[in-house]
PDB file of all heavy atoms in Angstrom:
ATOM      1  N   VAL A 345     -35.667 -33.842 -32.659  1.00 98.00           N
ATOM      2  CA  VAL A 345     -36.478 -32.852 -31.933  1.00 98.00           C
ATOM      3  C   VAL A 345     -36.260 -31.499 -32.635  1.00 98.00           C
ATOM      4  O   VAL A 345     -35.147 -30.988 -32.683  1.00 98.00           O
ATOM      5  CB  VAL A 345     -36.119 -32.754 -30.457  1.00 98.00           C
ATOM      6  CG1 VAL A 345     -36.988 -31.718 -29.764  1.00 98.00           C
ATOM      7  CG2 VAL A 345     -36.315 -34.105 -29.780  1.00 98.00           C
ATOM      8  N   VAL A 346     -37.350 -30.931 -33.133  1.00 98.00           N
ATOM      9  CA  VAL A 346     -37.296 -29.632 -33.800  1.00 98.00           C
ATOM     10  C   VAL A 346     -38.103 -28.647 -32.946  1.00 98.00           C
ATOM     11  O   VAL A 346     -39.295 -28.824 -32.735  1.00 98.00           O
ATOM     12  CB  VAL A 346     -37.874 -29.669 -35.244  1.00 98.00           C
ATOM     13  CG1 VAL A 346     -37.816 -28.310 -35.863  1.00 98.00           C
ATOM     14  CG2 VAL A 346     -37.149 -30.699 -36.084  1.00 98.00           C
ATOM     15  N   LYS A 347     -37.413 -27.611 -32.435  1.00 98.00           N
ATOM     16  CA  LYS A 347     -38.089 -26.693 -31.541  1.00 98.00           C
ATOM     17  C   LYS A 347     -38.924 -25.666 -32.265  1.00 98.00           C
ATOM     18  O   LYS A 347     -39.807 -24.995 -31.676  1.00 98.00           O
ATOM     19  CB  LYS A 347     -37.038 -26.000 -30.654  1.00 98.00           C
ATOM     20  CG  LYS A 347     -36.294 -26.992 -29.750  1.00 98.00           C
ATOM     21  CD  LYS A 347     -35.234 -26.291 -28.906  1.00 98.00           C
ATOM     22  CE  LYS A 347     -34.444 -27.282 -28.120  1.00 98.00           C
ATOM     23  NZ  LYS A 347     -33.378 -26.678 -27.308  1.00 98.00           N
ATOM     24  N   GLY A 348     -38.730 -25.554 -33.585  1.00 98.00           N
ATOM     25  CA  GLY A 348     -39.557 -24.662 -34.431  1.00 98.00           C
ATOM     26  C   GLY A 348     -40.518 -25.498 -35.221  1.00 98.00           C
ATOM     27  O   GLY A 348     -41.131 -26.448 -34.712  1.00 98.00           O
ATOM     28  N   SER A 349     -40.693 -25.147 -36.531  1.00 98.00           N
ATOM     29  CA  SER A 349     -41.622 -25.840 -37.389  1.00 98.00           C
ATOM     30  C   SER A 349     -40.867 -26.627 -38.455  1.00 98.00           C
ATOM     31  O   SER A 349     -39.669 -26.404 -38.666  1.00 98.00           O
ATOM     32  CB  SER A 349     -42.589 -24.804 -38.035  1.00 98.00           C
ATOM     33  OG  SER A 349     -43.357 -24.138 -37.070  1.00 98.00           O
ATOM     34  N   ILE A 350     -41.583 -27.479 -39.158  1.00 98.00           N
ATOM     35  CA  ILE A 350     -40.973 -28.278 -40.240  1.00 98.00           C
ATOM     36  C   ILE A 350     -41.772 -28.089 -41.524  1.00 98.00           C
ATOM     37  O   ILE A 350     -42.977 -27.757 -41.500  1.00 98.00           O
ATOM     38  CB  ILE A 350     -40.913 -29.789 -39.889  1.00 98.00           C
ATOM     39  CG1 ILE A 350     -42.304 -30.333 -39.601  1.00 98.00           C
ATOM     40  CG2 ILE A 350     -39.972 -30.019 -38.707  1.00 98.00           C
ATOM     41  CD1 ILE A 350     -42.316 -31.836 -39.374  1.00 98.00           C
ATOM     42  N   GLY A 351     -41.105 -28.331 -42.658  1.00 98.00           N
ATOM     43  CA  GLY A 351     -41.741 -28.115 -43.948  1.00 98.00           C
ATOM     44  C   GLY A 351     -42.488 -29.322 -44.472  1.00 98.00           C
ATOM     45  O   GLY A 351     -42.715 -30.323 -43.756  1.00 98.00           O
ATOM     46  N   ALA A 352     -42.826 -29.254 -45.733  1.00 98.00           N
ATOM     47  CA  ALA A 352     -43.661 -30.285 -46.383  1.00 98.00           C
ATOM     48  C   ALA A 352     -42.891 -31.580 -46.534  1.00 98.00           C
ATOM     49  O   ALA A 352     -41.677 -31.650 -46.570  1.00 98.00           O
ATOM     50  CB  ALA A 352     -44.096 -29.799 -47.760  1.00 98.00           C
ATOM     51  N   MET A 353     -43.671 -32.674 -46.629  1.00 98.00           N
ATOM     52  CA  MET A 353     -43.150 -34.035 -46.890  1.00 98.00           C
ATOM     53  C   MET A 353     -42.189 -34.508 -45.831  1.00 98.00           C
ATOM     54  O   MET A 353     -41.291 -35.356 -46.108  1.00 98.00           O
ATOM     55  CB  MET A 353     -42.503 -34.105 -48.285  1.00 98.00           C
ATOM     56  CG  MET A 353     -43.472 -33.975 -49.417  1.00 98.00           C
ATOM     57  SD  MET A 353     -44.678 -35.324 -49.555  1.00 98.00           S
ATOM     58  CE  MET A 353     -43.594 -36.662 -50.079  1.00 98.00           C
ATOM     59  N   SER A 354     -42.320 -34.005 -44.618  1.00 98.00           N
ATOM     60  CA  SER A 354     -41.429 -34.494 -43.568  1.00 98.00           C
ATOM     61  C   SER A 354     -41.869 -35.887 -43.113  1.00 98.00           C
ATOM     62  O   SER A 354     -43.042 -36.246 -43.180  1.00 98.00           O
ATOM     63  CB  SER A 354     -41.447 -33.526 -42.352  1.00 98.00           C
ATOM     64  OG  SER A 354     -40.835 -32.332 -42.673  1.00 98.00           O
ATOM     65  N   ALA A 355     -40.858 -36.670 -42.705  1.00 98.00           N
ATOM     66  CA  ALA A 355     -41.106 -38.075 -42.326  1.00 98.00           C
ATOM     67  C   ALA A 355     -41.696 -38.933 -43.430  1.00 98.00           C
ATOM     68  O   ALA A 355     -42.376 -39.916 -43.195  1.00 98.00           O
ATOM     69  CB  ALA A 355     -41.974 -38.159 -41.075  1.00 98.00           C
ATOM     70  N   PHE A 356     -41.396 -38.550 -44.679  1.00 98.00           N
ATOM     71  CA  PHE A 356     -41.819 -39.375 -45.832  1.00 98.00           C
ATOM     72  C   PHE A 356     -41.117 -40.742 -45.739  1.00 98.00           C
ATOM     73  O   PHE A 356     -39.920 -40.839 -45.585  1.00 98.00           O
ATOM     74  CB  PHE A 356     -41.429 -38.652 -47.120  1.00 98.00           C
ATOM     75  CG  PHE A 356     -41.645 -39.496 -48.372  1.00 98.00           C
ATOM     76  CD1 PHE A 356     -42.875 -39.939 -48.747  1.00 98.00           C
ATOM     77  CD2 PHE A 356     -40.533 -39.782 -49.178  1.00 98.00           C
ATOM     78  CE1 PHE A 356     -43.047 -40.709 -49.874  1.00 98.00           C
ATOM     79  CE2 PHE A 356     -40.690 -40.534 -50.327  1.00 98.00           C
ATOM     80  CZ  PHE A 356     -41.980 -40.987 -50.693  1.00 98.00           C
ATOM     81  N   MET A 357     -41.905 -41.780 -45.799  1.00 96.00           N
ATOM     82  CA  MET A 357     -41.384 -43.166 -45.705  1.00 96.00           C
ATOM     83  C   MET A 357     -40.558 -43.378 -44.437  1.00 96.00           C
ATOM     84  O   MET A 357     -39.620 -44.173 -44.456  1.00 96.00           O
ATOM     85  CB  MET A 357     -40.598 -43.541 -46.959  1.00 96.00           C
ATOM     86  CG  MET A 357     -41.462 -43.599 -48.214  1.00 96.00           C
ATOM     87  SD  MET A 357     -40.557 -44.228 -49.645  1.00 96.00           S
ATOM     88  CE  MET A 357     -40.347 -45.955 -49.177  1.00 96.00           C
ATOM     89  N   ALA A 358     -40.921 -42.705 -43.358  1.00 97.00           N
ATOM     90  CA  ALA A 358     -40.190 -42.853 -42.103  1.00 97.00           C
ATOM     91  C   ALA A 358     -40.443 -44.281 -41.554  1.00 97.00           C
ATOM     92  O   ALA A 358     -41.610 -44.672 -41.394  1.00 97.00           O
ATOM     93  CB  ALA A 358     -40.670 -41.808 -41.097  1.00 97.00           C
ATOM     94  N   GLN A 359     -39.373 -45.001 -41.273  1.00 97.00           N
ATOM     95  CA  GLN A 359     -39.519 -46.400 -40.926  1.00 97.00           C
ATOM     96  C   GLN A 359     -39.584 -46.624 -39.392  1.00 97.00           C
ATOM     97  O   GLN A 359     -40.373 -47.418 -38.910  1.00 97.00           O
ATOM     98  CB  GLN A 359     -38.391 -47.195 -41.541  1.00 97.00           C
ATOM     99  CG  GLN A 359     -38.450 -47.146 -43.046  1.00 97.00           C
ATOM    100  CD  GLN A 359     -37.249 -47.801 -43.695  1.00 97.00           C
ATOM    101  OE1 GLN A 359     -36.700 -48.750 -43.213  1.00 97.00           O
ATOM    102  NE2 GLN A 359     -36.865 -47.261 -44.860  1.00 97.00           N
ATOM    103  N   SER A 360     -38.712 -45.995 -38.642  1.00 98.00           N
ATOM    104  CA  SER A 360     -38.747 -46.108 -37.181  1.00 98.00           C
ATOM    105  C   SER A 360     -38.034 -44.902 -36.583  1.00 98.00           C
ATOM    106  O   SER A 360     -37.358 -44.135 -37.249  1.00 98.00           O
ATOM    107  CB  SER A 360     -38.063 -47.402 -36.713  1.00 98.00           C
ATOM    108  OG  SER A 360     -36.682 -47.448 -37.083  1.00 98.00           O
ATOM    109  N   GLY A 361     -38.188 -44.762 -35.253  1.00 98.00           N
ATOM    110  CA  GLY A 361     -37.660 -43.604 -34.579  1.00 98.00           C
ATOM    111  C   GLY A 361     -38.748 -42.634 -34.239  1.00 98.00           C
ATOM    112  O   GLY A 361     -39.937 -42.920 -34.331  1.00 98.00           O
ATOM    113  N   ASN A 362     -38.331 -41.433 -33.760  1.00 98.00           N
ATOM    114  CA  ASN A 362     -39.284 -40.447 -33.279  1.00 98.00           C
ATOM    115  C   ASN A 362     -38.972 -39.047 -33.863  1.00 98.00           C
ATOM    116  O   ASN A 362     -37.799 -38.663 -33.904  1.00 98.00           O
ATOM    117  CB  ASN A 362     -39.236 -40.338 -31.757  1.00 98.00           C
ATOM    118  CG  ASN A 362     -39.565 -41.587 -31.047  1.00 98.00           C
ATOM    119  OD1 ASN A 362     -40.748 -41.969 -30.929  1.00 98.00           O
ATOM    120  ND2 ASN A 362     -38.593 -42.324 -30.572  1.00 98.00           N
ATOM    121  N   LEU A 363     -39.997 -38.356 -34.274  1.00 98.00           N
ATOM    122  CA  LEU A 363     -39.865 -36.987 -34.739  1.00 98.00           C
ATOM    123  C   LEU A 363     -40.780 -36.128 -33.885  1.00 98.00           C
ATOM    124  O   LEU A 363     -41.991 -36.324 -33.856  1.00 98.00           O
ATOM    125  CB  LEU A 363     -40.264 -36.844 -36.205  1.00 98.00           C
ATOM    126  CG  LEU A 363     -40.359 -35.416 -36.785  1.00 98.00           C
ATOM    127  CD1 LEU A 363     -39.042 -34.652 -36.649  1.00 98.00           C
ATOM    128  CD2 LEU A 363     -40.819 -35.453 -38.235  1.00 98.00           C
ATOM    129  N   VAL A 364     -40.154 -35.210 -33.138  1.00 98.00           N
ATOM    130  CA  VAL A 364     -40.910 -34.311 -32.215  1.00 98.00           C
ATOM    131  C   VAL A 364     -40.798 -32.882 -32.777  1.00 98.00           C
ATOM    132  O   VAL A 364     -39.695 -32.406 -33.022  1.00 98.00           O
ATOM    133  CB  VAL A 364     -40.301 -34.389 -30.819  1.00 98.00           C
ATOM    134  CG1 VAL A 364     -41.076 -33.442 -29.868  1.00 98.00           C
ATOM    135  CG2 VAL A 364     -40.355 -35.793 -30.285  1.00 98.00           C
ATOM    136  N   VAL A 365     -41.971 -32.227 -32.903  1.00 98.00           N
ATOM    137  CA  VAL A 365     -42.032 -30.891 -33.487  1.00 98.00           C
ATOM    138  C   VAL A 365     -42.807 -29.994 -32.528  1.00 98.00           C
ATOM    139  O   VAL A 365     -43.992 -30.226 -32.261  1.00 98.00           O
ATOM    140  CB  VAL A 365     -42.681 -30.867 -34.865  1.00 98.00           C
ATOM    141  CG1 VAL A 365     -42.667 -29.483 -35.451  1.00 98.00           C
ATOM    142  CG2 VAL A 365     -41.957 -31.861 -35.788  1.00 98.00           C
ATOM    143  N   LEU A 366     -42.146 -28.948 -32.018  1.00 98.00           N
ATOM    144  CA  LEU A 366     -42.840 -28.062 -31.118  1.00 98.00           C
ATOM    145  C   LEU A 366     -43.712 -27.044 -31.864  1.00 98.00           C
ATOM    146  O   LEU A 366     -44.649 -26.487 -31.296  1.00 98.00           O
ATOM    147  CB  LEU A 366     -41.864 -27.311 -30.209  1.00 98.00           C
ATOM    148  CG  LEU A 366     -41.425 -28.058 -28.923  1.00 98.00           C
ATOM    149  CD1 LEU A 366     -40.594 -29.289 -29.267  1.00 98.00           C
ATOM    150  CD2 LEU A 366     -40.654 -27.149 -27.985  1.00 98.00           C
ATOM    151  N   GLY A 367     -43.367 -26.760 -33.117  1.00 98.00           N
ATOM    152  CA  GLY A 367     -44.141 -25.811 -33.931  1.00 98.00           C
ATOM    153  C   GLY A 367     -45.154 -26.534 -34.801  1.00 98.00           C
ATOM    154  O   GLY A 367     -45.796 -27.500 -34.407  1.00 98.00           O
ATOM    155  N   ASP A 368     -45.225 -26.079 -36.067  1.00 98.00           N
ATOM    156  CA  ASP A 368     -46.185 -26.606 -37.007  1.00 98.00           C
ATOM    157  C   ASP A 368     -45.527 -27.545 -38.003  1.00 98.00           C
ATOM    158  O   ASP A 368     -44.290 -27.540 -38.118  1.00 98.00           O
ATOM    159  CB  ASP A 368     -46.901 -25.487 -37.760  1.00 98.00           C
ATOM    160  CG  ASP A 368     -47.574 -24.496 -36.827  1.00 98.00           C
ATOM    161  OD1 ASP A 368     -48.123 -24.955 -35.796  1.00 98.00           O
ATOM    162  OD2 ASP A 368     -47.594 -23.279 -37.144  1.00 98.00           O
ATOM    163  N   ALA A 369     -46.316 -28.310 -38.729  1.00 98.00           N
ATOM    164  CA  ALA A 369     -45.845 -29.195 -39.793  1.00 98.00           C
ATOM    165  C   ALA A 369     -46.524 -28.848 -41.095  1.00 98.00           C
ATOM    166  O   ALA A 369     -47.729 -28.527 -41.110  1.00 98.00           O
ATOM    167  CB  ALA A 369     -46.080 -30.649 -39.428  1.00 98.00           C
ATOM    168  N   GLY A 370     -45.755 -28.942 -42.223  1.00 98.00           N
ATOM    169  CA  GLY A 370     -46.299 -28.614 -43.513  1.00 98.00           C
ATOM    170  C   GLY A 370     -47.107 -29.698 -44.107  1.00 98.00           C
ATOM    171  O   GLY A 370     -47.539 -30.661 -43.459  1.00 98.00           O
ATOM    172  N   ASP A 371     -47.316 -29.619 -45.421  1.00 98.00           N
ATOM    173  CA  ASP A 371     -48.153 -30.575 -46.163  1.00 98.00           C
ATOM    174  C   ASP A 371     -47.583 -31.983 -46.125  1.00 98.00           C
ATOM    175  O   ASP A 371     -46.370 -32.194 -46.043  1.00 98.00           O
ATOM    176  CB  ASP A 371     -48.273 -30.136 -47.622  1.00 98.00           C
ATOM    177  CG  ASP A 371     -49.351 -29.122 -47.879  1.00 98.00           C
ATOM    178  OD1 ASP A 371     -50.433 -29.278 -47.255  1.00 98.00           O
ATOM    179  OD2 ASP A 371     -49.134 -28.159 -48.630  1.00 98.00           O
ATOM    180  N   ALA A 372     -48.457 -32.964 -46.192  1.00 98.00           N
ATOM    181  CA  ALA A 372     -48.149 -34.364 -46.393  1.00 98.00           C
ATOM    182  C   ALA A 372     -47.211 -34.940 -45.338  1.00 98.00           C
ATOM    183  O   ALA A 372     -46.291 -35.698 -45.653  1.00 98.00           O
ATOM    184  CB  ALA A 372     -47.556 -34.575 -47.793  1.00 98.00           C
ATOM    185  N   LEU A 373     -47.463 -34.605 -44.099  1.00 98.00           N
ATOM    186  CA  LEU A 373     -46.682 -35.170 -43.009  1.00 98.00           C
ATOM    187  C   LEU A 373     -46.825 -36.671 -42.995  1.00 98.00           C
ATOM    188  O   LEU A 373     -47.931 -37.210 -43.054  1.00 98.00           O
ATOM    189  CB  LEU A 373     -47.107 -34.596 -41.677  1.00 98.00           C
ATOM    190  CG  LEU A 373     -46.444 -35.172 -40.438  1.00 98.00           C
ATOM    191  CD1 LEU A 373     -45.006 -34.728 -40.356  1.00 98.00           C
ATOM    192  CD2 LEU A 373     -47.182 -34.728 -39.141  1.00 98.00           C
ATOM    193  N   GLY A 374     -45.693 -37.386 -42.878  1.00 98.00           N
ATOM    194  CA  GLY A 374     -45.738 -38.851 -42.740  1.00 98.00           C
ATOM    195  C   GLY A 374     -46.241 -39.602 -43.938  1.00 98.00           C
ATOM    196  O   GLY A 374     -46.749 -40.706 -43.781  1.00 98.00           O
ATOM    197  N   ASN A 375     -46.052 -39.028 -45.095  1.00 97.00           N
ATOM    198  CA  ASN A 375     -46.563 -39.716 -46.313  1.00 97.00           C
ATOM    199  C   ASN A 375     -45.899 -41.109 -46.420  1.00 97.00           C
ATOM    200  O   ASN A 375     -44.680 -41.258 -46.365  1.00 97.00           O
ATOM    201  CB  ASN A 375     -46.229 -38.904 -47.552  1.00 97.00           C
ATOM    202  CG  ASN A 375     -46.943 -39.416 -48.787  1.00 97.00           C
ATOM    203  OD1 ASN A 375     -48.164 -39.408 -48.837  1.00 97.00           O
ATOM    204  ND2 ASN A 375     -46.185 -39.862 -49.772  1.00 97.00           N
ATOM    205  N   SER A 376     -46.725 -42.126 -46.594  1.00 94.00           N
ATOM    206  CA  SER A 376     -46.227 -43.520 -46.732  1.00 94.00           C
ATOM    207  C   SER A 376     -45.376 -43.961 -45.556  1.00 94.00           C
ATOM    208  O   SER A 376     -44.402 -44.683 -45.706  1.00 94.00           O
ATOM    209  CB  SER A 376     -45.456 -43.703 -48.051  1.00 94.00           C
ATOM    210  OG  SER A 376     -46.236 -43.334 -49.148  1.00 94.00           O
ATOM    211  N   ILE A 377     -45.752 -43.535 -44.357  1.00 96.00           N
ATOM    212  CA  ILE A 377     -44.990 -43.834 -43.144  1.00 96.00           C
ATOM    213  C   ILE A 377     -45.068 -45.317 -42.816  1.00 96.00           C
ATOM    214  O   ILE A 377     -46.085 -45.996 -43.088  1.00 96.00           O
ATOM    215  CB  ILE A 377     -45.502 -42.941 -41.983  1.00 96.00           C
ATOM    216  CG1 ILE A 377     -44.556 -43.022 -40.768  1.00 96.00           C
ATOM    217  CG2 ILE A 377     -46.944 -43.317 -41.592  1.00 96.00           C
ATOM    218  CD1 ILE A 377     -44.952 -42.037 -39.690  1.00 96.00           C
TER     219      ILE A 377
END
C-alpha cells in the first residue's frame, strides 16, 4: 500500500498479490503482469 505515488515500470512481471496506490502511477504500469 503506497499512500503517495509510484514511478515507472511498477508491478513489472508482478505474479500475485496486491498493489494499492492512493496517488498516481508512472509509465508502463503492470508491464507483462
Side-chain angles (χ1 to χ4, degrees):
V345 179
V346 180
K347 297 178 184 179
S349 298
I350 58 174
M353 291 295 290
S354 290
F356 171 61
M357 294 186 69
Q359 297 173 34
S360 62
N362 299 282
L363 172 59
V364 179
V365 182
L366 274 67
D368 302 324
D371 276 318
L373 176 69
N375 192 63
S376 303
I377 192 173

